[in-house]
PDB file of all heavy atoms in Angstrom:
ATOM      1  N   PRO X  42     -15.449 -12.761  19.404  1.00  0.00           N
ATOM      2  CA  PRO X  42     -14.572 -13.806  18.838  1.00  0.00           C
ATOM      3  C   PRO X  42     -13.214 -13.240  18.425  1.00  0.00           C
ATOM      4  O   PRO X  42     -12.194 -13.921  18.507  1.00  0.00           O
ATOM      5  CB  PRO X  42     -15.349 -14.285  17.604  1.00  0.00           C
ATOM      6  CG  PRO X  42     -16.758 -13.923  17.870  1.00  0.00           C
ATOM      7  CD  PRO X  42     -16.732 -12.687  18.708  1.00  0.00           C
ATOM      8  N   ARG X  43     -13.181 -11.970  18.004  1.00  0.00           N
ATOM      9  CA  ARG X  43     -11.895 -11.360  17.613  1.00  0.00           C
ATOM     10  C   ARG X  43     -11.018 -11.119  18.849  1.00  0.00           C
ATOM     11  O   ARG X  43      -9.811 -11.283  18.803  1.00  0.00           O
ATOM     12  CB  ARG X  43     -12.113 -10.034  16.855  1.00  0.00           C
ATOM     13  CG  ARG X  43     -12.721 -10.150  15.479  1.00  0.00           C
ATOM     14  CD  ARG X  43     -12.033 -11.163  14.598  1.00  0.00           C
ATOM     15  NE  ARG X  43     -10.582 -11.062  14.601  1.00  0.00           N
ATOM     16  CZ  ARG X  43      -9.750 -12.064  14.275  1.00  0.00           C
ATOM     17  NH1 ARG X  43     -10.228 -13.245  13.955  1.00  0.00           N
ATOM     18  NH2 ARG X  43      -8.449 -11.890  14.290  1.00  0.00           N
ATOM     19  N   LEU X  44     -11.652 -10.730  19.951  1.00  0.00           N
ATOM     20  CA  LEU X  44     -10.886 -10.550  21.196  1.00  0.00           C
ATOM     21  C   LEU X  44     -10.243 -11.870  21.596  1.00  0.00           C
ATOM     22  O   LEU X  44      -9.060 -11.936  21.929  1.00  0.00           O
ATOM     23  CB  LEU X  44     -11.820 -10.105  22.330  1.00  0.00           C
ATOM     24  CG  LEU X  44     -11.721  -8.641  22.746  1.00  0.00           C
ATOM     25  CD1 LEU X  44     -12.479  -7.794  21.754  1.00  0.00           C
ATOM     26  CD2 LEU X  44     -12.289  -8.443  24.126  1.00  0.00           C
ATOM     27  N   LEU X  45     -11.050 -12.937  21.527  1.00  0.00           N
ATOM     28  CA  LEU X  45     -10.536 -14.270  21.882  1.00  0.00           C
ATOM     29  C   LEU X  45      -9.386 -14.653  20.950  1.00  0.00           C
ATOM     30  O   LEU X  45      -8.341 -15.112  21.389  1.00  0.00           O
ATOM     31  CB  LEU X  45     -11.652 -15.322  21.755  1.00  0.00           C
ATOM     32  CG  LEU X  45     -12.766 -15.258  22.795  1.00  0.00           C
ATOM     33  CD1 LEU X  45     -13.793 -16.333  22.526  1.00  0.00           C
ATOM     34  CD2 LEU X  45     -12.177 -15.426  24.197  1.00  0.00           C
ATOM     35  N   ALA X  46      -9.594 -14.417  19.649  1.00  0.00           N
ATOM     36  CA  ALA X  46      -8.565 -14.804  18.669  1.00  0.00           C
ATOM     37  C   ALA X  46      -7.257 -14.047  18.922  1.00  0.00           C
ATOM     38  O   ALA X  46      -6.170 -14.558  18.659  1.00  0.00           O
ATOM     39  CB  ALA X  46      -9.072 -14.537  17.257  1.00  0.00           C
ATOM     40  N   CYS X  47      -7.373 -12.811  19.413  1.00  0.00           N
ATOM     41  CA  CYS X  47      -6.163 -12.000  19.648  1.00  0.00           C
ATOM     42  C   CYS X  47      -5.609 -12.221  21.055  1.00  0.00           C
ATOM     43  O   CYS X  47      -4.580 -11.632  21.415  1.00  0.00           O
ATOM     44  CB  CYS X  47      -6.483 -10.513  19.502  1.00  0.00           C
ATOM     45  SG  CYS X  47      -6.980 -10.048  17.861  1.00  0.00           S
ATOM     46  N   GLY X  48      -6.297 -12.999  21.864  1.00  0.00           N
ATOM     47  CA  GLY X  48      -5.844 -13.227  23.244  1.00  0.00           C
ATOM     48  C   GLY X  48      -5.937 -11.970  24.095  1.00  0.00           C
ATOM     49  O   GLY X  48      -5.118 -11.738  24.970  1.00  0.00           O
ATOM     50  N   ILE X  49      -6.947 -11.150  23.818  1.00  0.00           N
ATOM     51  CA  ILE X  49      -7.112  -9.882  24.547  1.00  0.00           C
ATOM     52  C   ILE X  49      -8.354  -9.997  25.416  1.00  0.00           C
ATOM     53  O   ILE X  49      -9.360 -10.567  24.995  1.00  0.00           O
ATOM     54  CB  ILE X  49      -7.270  -8.723  23.533  1.00  0.00           C
ATOM     55  CG1 ILE X  49      -5.926  -8.443  22.861  1.00  0.00           C
ATOM     56  CG2 ILE X  49      -7.808  -7.459  24.190  1.00  0.00           C
ATOM     57  CD1 ILE X  49      -5.993  -7.401  21.768  1.00  0.00           C
ATOM     58  N   SER X  50      -8.269  -9.448  26.651  1.00  0.00           N
ATOM     59  CA  SER X  50      -9.422  -9.666  27.516  1.00  0.00           C
ATOM     60  C   SER X  50     -10.306  -8.429  27.682  1.00  0.00           C
ATOM     61  O   SER X  50     -11.420  -8.534  28.157  1.00  0.00           O
ATOM     62  CB  SER X  50      -8.973 -10.177  28.881  1.00  0.00           C
ATOM     63  OG  SER X  50      -8.055  -9.244  29.407  1.00  0.00           O
ATOM     64  N   SER X  51      -9.814  -7.249  27.314  1.00  0.00           N
ATOM     65  CA  SER X  51     -10.700  -6.094  27.496  1.00  0.00           C
ATOM     66  C   SER X  51     -10.945  -5.368  26.175  1.00  0.00           C
ATOM     67  O   SER X  51     -10.079  -5.325  25.297  1.00  0.00           O
ATOM     68  CB  SER X  51     -10.121  -5.122  28.525  1.00  0.00           C
ATOM     69  OG  SER X  51      -9.193  -4.265  27.885  1.00  0.00           O
ATOM     70  N   LEU X  52     -12.141  -4.796  26.093  1.00  0.00           N
ATOM     71  CA  LEU X  52     -12.517  -4.057  24.878  1.00  0.00           C
ATOM     72  C   LEU X  52     -11.629  -2.846  24.655  1.00  0.00           C
ATOM     73  O   LEU X  52     -11.322  -2.494  23.519  1.00  0.00           O
ATOM     74  CB  LEU X  52     -13.958  -3.579  25.007  1.00  0.00           C
ATOM     75  CG  LEU X  52     -15.031  -4.400  24.311  1.00  0.00           C
ATOM     76  CD1 LEU X  52     -16.372  -3.738  24.476  1.00  0.00           C
ATOM     77  CD2 LEU X  52     -14.719  -4.588  22.839  1.00  0.00           C
ATOM     78  N   GLU X  53     -11.224  -2.197  25.770  1.00  0.00           N
ATOM     79  CA  GLU X  53     -10.356  -1.010  25.645  1.00  0.00           C
ATOM     80  C   GLU X  53      -9.043  -1.391  24.963  1.00  0.00           C
ATOM     81  O   GLU X  53      -8.565  -0.708  24.074  1.00  0.00           O
ATOM     82  CB  GLU X  53     -10.029  -0.393  27.018  1.00  0.00           C
ATOM     83  CG  GLU X  53     -11.192   0.285  27.709  1.00  0.00           C
ATOM     84  CD  GLU X  53     -12.115  -0.720  28.386  1.00  0.00           C
ATOM     85  OE1 GLU X  53     -11.742  -1.908  28.496  1.00  0.00           O
ATOM     86  OE2 GLU X  53     -13.221  -0.330  28.785  1.00  0.00           O
ATOM     87  N   GLU X  54      -8.493  -2.531  25.399  1.00  0.00           N
ATOM     88  CA  GLU X  54      -7.218  -2.974  24.831  1.00  0.00           C
ATOM     89  C   GLU X  54      -7.396  -3.298  23.342  1.00  0.00           C
ATOM     90  O   GLU X  54      -6.553  -2.981  22.509  1.00  0.00           O
ATOM     91  CB  GLU X  54      -6.741  -4.226  25.588  1.00  0.00           C
ATOM     92  CG  GLU X  54      -5.253  -4.453  25.483  1.00  0.00           C
ATOM     93  CD  GLU X  54      -4.865  -5.772  26.149  1.00  0.00           C
ATOM     94  OE1 GLU X  54      -5.488  -6.136  27.185  1.00  0.00           O
ATOM     95  OE2 GLU X  54      -3.963  -6.419  25.620  1.00  0.00           O
ATOM     96  N   TYR X  55      -8.536  -3.927  23.025  1.00  0.00           N
ATOM     97  CA  TYR X  55      -8.804  -4.282  21.623  1.00  0.00           C
ATOM     98  C   TYR X  55      -8.943  -3.009  20.784  1.00  0.00           C
ATOM     99  O   TYR X  55      -8.462  -2.916  19.664  1.00  0.00           O
ATOM    100  CB  TYR X  55     -10.071  -5.148  21.539  1.00  0.00           C
ATOM    101  CG  TYR X  55     -10.342  -5.653  20.145  1.00  0.00           C
ATOM    102  CD1 TYR X  55      -9.459  -6.528  19.510  1.00  0.00           C
ATOM    103  CD2 TYR X  55     -11.475  -5.247  19.442  1.00  0.00           C
ATOM    104  CE1 TYR X  55      -9.694  -6.989  18.221  1.00  0.00           C
ATOM    105  CE2 TYR X  55     -11.723  -5.705  18.154  1.00  0.00           C
ATOM    106  CZ  TYR X  55     -10.828  -6.581  17.553  1.00  0.00           C
ATOM    107  OH  TYR X  55     -11.059  -7.020  16.272  1.00  0.00           O
TER     108      TYR X  55
END
Side-chain angles (χ1 to χ4, degrees):
R43 291 310 313 157
L44 254 79
L45 290 179
C47 296
I49 288 175
S50 56
S51 84
L52 261 183
E53 290 79 11
E54 202 185 325
Y55 185 64

